[in-house]
Amino acid sequence: MAIKVTNVPARLAETLVIQTAADTTNTGSGVNIFSGTSKGNKFYCWKIDGSLVSSAFFVKVQQATSYTLNSDPDWRFFCPANSVATYIFPEGQSFSTGISFIATTTTATKATSQTDPAKAVVVTVLGGT
């Protein structure tokens, strides 16, 4: 069997972020996920694993160093009950301040009170420059 090695013309992403317990608090995911890396001013993919959650929920994303509950999200990703949802952005979505997100069953785009999903949500983000 022959092995062929080829150069990849450009990287898809340079930074992988995995949050294994996303919720509505700053301890769960509401702080800048690209803090401490210079390889994060675009995101290319969001994989939301809600396979343990028996009701639909959202991952709400803001361009911010800390998520503000009563401000509108810049992106809002839906995940059906007991499912895995993947959102892909081939050209990347640029941001400048940082990216913060929460996982919530609250449907309103902004609310001073948000409800956590009943079980753990795993969010994987592919980022880069």
Side-chain angles (χ1 to χ4, degrees):
M1 176 182 287
I3 296 176
K4 182 178 180 182
V5 178
T6 321
N7 290 332
V8 176
R11 282 180 279 216
L12 170 64
E14 299 151 310
T15 305
L16 174 66
V17 177
I18 301 173
Q19 171 54 266
T20 59
D23 58 18
T24 63
T25 66
N26 283 344
T27 57
S29 52
V31 295
N32 182 11
I33 61 172
F34 291 110
S35 178
T37 179
S38 61
K39 303 291 187 189
N41 63 9
K42 285 185 178 181
F43 60 77
Y44 295 91
C45 177
W46 288 74
K47 178 183 172 192
I48 304 162
D49 185 347
S51 55
L52 299 177
V53 183
S54 60
S55 61
F57 64 94
F58 297 90
V59 170
K60 299 176 184 178
V61 182
Q62 289 177 344
Q63 292 187 69
T65 56
S66 182
Y67 197 92
T68 304
L69 294 179
N70 58 358
S71 294
D72 284 329
D74 295 297
W75 296 273
R76 187 168 72 146
F77 304 123
F78 177 76
C79 186
N82 302 107
S83 298
V84 176
T86 303
Y87 294 87
I88 298 191
F89 303 88
E91 301 299 318
Q93 292 289 302
S94 296
F95 58 89
S96 57
T97 313
I99 289 292
S100 299
F101 68 90
I102 60 171
T104 179
T105 59
T106 304
T107 57
T109 56
K110 61 182 176 182
T112 54
S113 177
Q114 305 268 343
T115 304
D116 287 341
K119 301 277 185 172
V121 173
V122 178
V123 178
T124 304
V125 183
L126 224 50
T129 54

